[in-house]
C-alpha cells in the first residue's frame, strides 16, 4: 500500500472512530434536545475532518482511482458542514451517512492495486525523509528545556517516568550531572583572530538520535522505496527492474555513515571514501553535528532518483548456505578489526575459505562444476 492510500485509509478509520464515540454519547444521553451548531461545526472542521480537508486542499491526489474513492466522502462532509444541525438526531444521522461512505471507501482502498508512478514514490520518500529529520533535530529539546529550567531546590535526580526532578535516588532516576554529560555537545565562542570557532563533542544522546535517523532512513529506502521505485520504473519503461537496480550515490554514502555509527562506535571506517558526506573529524570520528544534520534537509537526491536506472549484471556471488560455530565467527571478526580490513577486502574471505576446503577435499578426476 502506498503512503498516500495508507494515509487516506487512516483518515477514514479515524473518522469512523469519532462517529462510534458520538453514537455512544448520543445513546447515553437520549434526552439531549439540541446541538450548539456553531461550536460543533468548528470542532468538526478543525478536529475530526481537519486532516481530510487539509490533505485534499494541499495537493492533488496522485492516484485517479483513489481520487474517485475519496471524493464522495469529502463531498458528504462538505454537505454535512453546510447543513443545519437542528437536533441531536439530525446530527447523528448526518454522521451516519458519512460513516457509511467511509466504510465503503476503506473496502475500496483495500482492494486497490499498488500501481504508482516514479514521481509519487520519490515525493513520498522525500516527505518521509524531511519529516523524520525535523523530528530528529528536535528530539532532545523537551529534555534540554527541562534541564535549563531546573532550580537547585528541585533536587539532583531526574525521575525518568514522571519527568521531574527529585531529591532522592531510586532505580528510575538519573543524576543531573549524568544527564548533562549525556547531552553536552561542546561549546562555541568568538575568536578575534578566527571568528566563530567551536569545540565539538558528540554525546550519547546526540549520537543516539542522529544515528537512529540514519538507520531508519536507510532501512525504509532499502526495504520499501527501492522496490517501489523499481516497480514504477518497470511500468514506465517496460523493463523488469529489480530493487538492486535502483542506486543512489547519496544514499550509499548515507548508509556508510549509518554503518560506522552503529557498528564502528562512530569511528570513520566504511565512510572513509565518502565525497558528499565526508564527515570525518581530526580524531577519526563521524562528526555528527547539528549543523551537518540541518544541512541534510537540502540534500535529498531527487534529481538522482529521477534518472532512469540501468540494469545491473547478474550477481556473481551469493551467501554461503552453511552455519559455523559462534566462537569461531567471533574470533574472525576480532581479527578483521585488528587487521583493519575493509568491507571489500572481507568479501574475499569466503572465496579463500572454500578454495582451501577444496584443496583438502579435491573433486574426483573428471568432475566439473556448474557455472
Amino acid at each position: 500500500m502506498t503512503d498516500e492510500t495508507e494515509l487516506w485509509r487512516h483518515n477514514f478509520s479515524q473518522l469512523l472512530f469519532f462517529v462510534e464515540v458520538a453514537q455512544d454519547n448520543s445513546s447515553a444521553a437520549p434526552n439531549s434536545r439540541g446541538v450548539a451548531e456553531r461550536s460543533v461545526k468548528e470542532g468538526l472542521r478543525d478536529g475530526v475532518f481537519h486532516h481530510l480537508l487539509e490533505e485534499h486542499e494541499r495537493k492533488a491526489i496522485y492516484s485517479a482511482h483513489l481520487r474517485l474513492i475519496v471524493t464522495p466522502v469529502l463531498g458528504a462532509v462538505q454537505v454535512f458542514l453546510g447543513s443545519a444541525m437542528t437536533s441531536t438526531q439530525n446530527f447523528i444521522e448526518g454522521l451516519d451517512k458519512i460513516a457509511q461512505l467511509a466504510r465503503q471507501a476503506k473496502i475500496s482502498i483495500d482492494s486497490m492495486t499498488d500501481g504508482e508512478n516514479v514521481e509519487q514514490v520519490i515525493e513520498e520518500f522525500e516527505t518521509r525523509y524531511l519529516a523524520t529529520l525535523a523530528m530528529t533535530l528536535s528530539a532532545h529539546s523537551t529534555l534540554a528545556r527541562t534541564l535549563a529550567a531546573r532550580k537547585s531546590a528541585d533536587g539532583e535526580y531526574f525521575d525518568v517516568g514522571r519527568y521531574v526532578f527529585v531529591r532522592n535516588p531510586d532505580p528510575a532516576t538519573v543524576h543531573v550531572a549524568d544527564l548533562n554529560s549525556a547531552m553536552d555537545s561542546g561549546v562555541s565562542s568568538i575568536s578575534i583572530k578566527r571568528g566563530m570557532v567551536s569545540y565539538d563533542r558528540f554525546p550519547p544522546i546526540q549520537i543516539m538520535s542522529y544515528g537512529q535517523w540514519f538507520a531508519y532512513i536507510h532501512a525504509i529506502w532499502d526495504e520499501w522505496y527501492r522496490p517501489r521505485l523499481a516497480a514504477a520504473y518497470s511500468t514506465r519503461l517496460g523493463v523488469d527492474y529489480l530493487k538492486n537496480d535502483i542506486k543512489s550515490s547519496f544514499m550509499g554514502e548515507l548508509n556508510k555513515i549509518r554503518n560506522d555509527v552503529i557498528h564502528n562506535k562512530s569511528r570513520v571506517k566504511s565512510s572513509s571514501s565518502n565525497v558528499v558526506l565526508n564527515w570525518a573529524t581530526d580524531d577519526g570520528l563521524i562528526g555528527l553535528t547539528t549543523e551537518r544534520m540541518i544541512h541534510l534537509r537540502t540534500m535529498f537526491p531527487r534529481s538522482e532518483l529521477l534518472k532512469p536506472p540501468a540494469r545491473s549484471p547478474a550477481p556473481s556471488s551469493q551467501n554461503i548456505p552453511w552455519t559455523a560455530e559462534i566462537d569461531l565467527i567471533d574470533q574472525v571478526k576480532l581479527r578483521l578489526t585488528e587487521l583493519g580490513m575493509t568491507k571489500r577486502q572481507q568479501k574475499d574471505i569466503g572465496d579463500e575459505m572454500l578454495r582451501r576446503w577444496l584443496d583438502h577435499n579435491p573433486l574426483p578426476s573428471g568432475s566439473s562444476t556448474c557455472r
Side-chain angles (χ1 to χ4, degrees), residues 188 237 254 267 277 290 362:
S188 295
L237 302 177
L254 186 147
R267 301 202 70 84
L277 299 179
T290 301

mmCIF file of all heavy atoms in Angstrom, residues 188 237 254 267 277 290 362:
data_model
loop_
_atom_site.group_PDB
_atom_site.id
_atom_site.type_symbol
_atom_site.label_atom_id
_atom_site.label_comp_id
_atom_site.label_asym_id
_atom_site.label_seq_id
_atom_site.Cartn_x
_atom_site.Cartn_y
_atom_site.Cartn_z
ATOM 1 N N SER A 188 30.709 26.894 21.590
ATOM 2 C CA SER A 188 31.113 27.808 20.515
ATOM 3 C C SER A 188 31.474 29.158 21.125
ATOM 4 O O SER A 188 30.911 29.560 22.155
ATOM 5 C CB SER A 188 29.988 27.985 19.495
ATOM 6 O OG SER A 188 29.717 26.771 18.834
ATOM 7 N N LEU A 237 9.031 2.132 -18.205
ATOM 8 C CA LEU A 237 9.985 1.871 -19.285
ATOM 9 C C LEU A 237 9.844 0.493 -19.909
ATOM 10 O O LEU A 237 10.543 0.187 -20.884
ATOM 11 C CB LEU A 237 11.414 2.046 -18.747
ATOM 12 C CG LEU A 237 11.737 3.431 -18.150
ATOM 13 C CD1 LEU A 237 13.155 3.459 -17.596
ATOM 14 C CD2 LEU A 237 11.543 4.521 -19.196
ATOM 15 N N LEU A 254 25.183 7.741 2.758
ATOM 16 C CA LEU A 254 24.398 7.795 3.986
ATOM 17 C C LEU A 254 24.457 6.444 4.701
ATOM 18 O O LEU A 254 24.582 6.377 5.928
ATOM 19 C CB LEU A 254 22.953 8.175 3.656
ATOM 20 C CG LEU A 254 21.998 8.422 4.825
ATOM 21 C CD1 LEU A 254 20.976 9.497 4.441
ATOM 22 C CD2 LEU A 254 21.264 7.152 5.227
ATOM 23 N N ARG A 267 33.344 5.655 14.679
ATOM 24 C CA ARG A 267 34.664 5.908 14.095
ATOM 25 C C ARG A 267 34.603 5.719 12.584
ATOM 26 O O ARG A 267 33.907 4.851 12.080
ATOM 27 C CB ARG A 267 35.719 4.987 14.694
ATOM 28 C CG ARG A 267 35.868 5.136 16.202
ATOM 29 C CD ARG A 267 37.216 4.650 16.682
ATOM 30 N NE ARG A 267 38.277 5.564 16.237
ATOM 31 C CZ ARG A 267 38.632 6.675 16.875
ATOM 32 N NH1 ARG A 267 38.018 7.037 17.986
ATOM 33 N NH2 ARG A 267 39.599 7.441 16.401
ATOM 34 N N LEU A 277 29.157 13.235 1.895
ATOM 35 C CA LEU A 277 29.021 13.163 3.351
ATOM 36 C C LEU A 277 30.363 12.781 3.968
ATOM 37 O O LEU A 277 30.496 11.773 4.655
ATOM 38 C CB LEU A 277 27.942 12.150 3.732
ATOM 39 C CG LEU A 277 26.530 12.453 3.225
ATOM 40 C CD1 LEU A 277 25.553 11.363 3.654
ATOM 41 C CD2 LEU A 277 26.041 13.815 3.705
ATOM 42 N N THR A 290 24.964 19.130 14.767
ATOM 43 C CA THR A 290 23.626 19.621 14.429
ATOM 44 C C THR A 290 23.655 20.382 13.113
ATOM 45 O O THR A 290 22.729 20.277 12.298
ATOM 46 C CB THR A 290 23.098 20.524 15.552
ATOM 47 O OG1 THR A 290 23.061 19.771 16.774
ATOM 48 C CG2 THR A 290 21.703 21.037 15.229
ATOM 49 N N PRO A 362 39.668 -32.501 -2.607
ATOM 50 C CA PRO A 362 39.616 -32.259 -4.059
ATOM 51 C C PRO A 362 38.491 -33.031 -4.734
ATOM 52 O O PRO A 362 38.070 -34.093 -4.268
ATOM 53 C CB PRO A 362 40.987 -32.735 -4.540
ATOM 54 C CG PRO A 362 41.422 -33.708 -3.503
ATOM 55 C CD PRO A 362 40.883 -33.207 -2.205
#
